[in-house]
Amino acid sequence: MRQNKREKSSRDEQVACAMLATQLDNFLGGDPVQHRQVQGYESPEFMNLFPRGVSYKEGGVESGFRRTQSGSGPVQRLYQIKGKRNIRAKEVGLSWQSFNKGDCFILDLGETIVSWIGSQANIFEKQKVREIAALIRDTERHGKAQITNISEGEETQEMLQVLGPVPELKESTPEEDSQADASNIASLYKVSDATGSMKLTKVSEKSPFAKDLLVRDDCFILDNGANGKIFVWKGKKIVHVYPNNLECS
């Protein structure tokens, strides 16, 4: 059972998602293994469920403080295609400021879908941008839109009418080795009520961690925040409800 948290979701939506997941887990007798996924940091296992890639759209619920785009009227959306092994398509601001030379982009204009390839984009992004453009055409436009494939420096007049003149685009920003090393920093914590009160104890801060550090009678938290991830592990023999009705889930 997988929970997916979007970066612009409200606190109420996140709490409701967690509550529904807990109810479903209880209904199924506690058998499902729960996984929490955060937008932009989804696990490979989650991404494998979407072989044609994942596309993020703005969405949201209309209110007095927020306006959502209706299904009627002209369509003007810009998607950024980024990644290597797990490619993601994310809706970004309709501006040249969203572009860079190292990624691919899709400009969705309704009847026309422009597939734009940056000069420094990798081979996986080049392949995926065409697949996602075809997916938008076949599913959202019922096969009636025209796809235009262009490379950086070949911008069409229709594209320029929407975005304006092409400015100096940002260079690609590949991840430095030092940043990759920093993303592997993690700490392991144990959550236990063995002393009669809830207690959080740091078990280790040196990875990789030995599997025998995990005890079936307790909960553990693996903090890999430098990489945007926090994992919660619940032992099979744990008492379901802690004192003060606090659940480890």
Side-chain angles (χ1 to χ4, degrees), residues 46-63:
F46 180 85
M47 296 298 294
N48 287 338
L49 299 174
F50 304 90
R52 301 187 71 175
V54 172
S55 176
Y56 305 123
K57 297 185 178 181
E58 283 298 316
V61 178
E62 187 166 11
S63 68

Side-chain angles (χ1 to χ4, degrees), residues 192-193 196-199 239-248:
S192 176
D193 65 342
S197 60
M198 189 75 70
K199 188 175 182 180
V239 177
H240 186 64
V241 180
Y242 278 110
N244 301 323
N245 294 324
L246 292 175
E247 290 188 3
C248 180

Side-chain angles (χ1 to χ4, degrees), residues 160-181:
L160 297 177
Q161 287 177 352
V162 175
L163 299 173
V166 183
E168 183 66 27
L169 299 178
K170 293 176 288 187
E171 296 288 328
S172 176
T173 55
E175 190 176 50
E176 300 292 339
D177 291 339
S178 58
Q179 293 176 330
D181 291 339

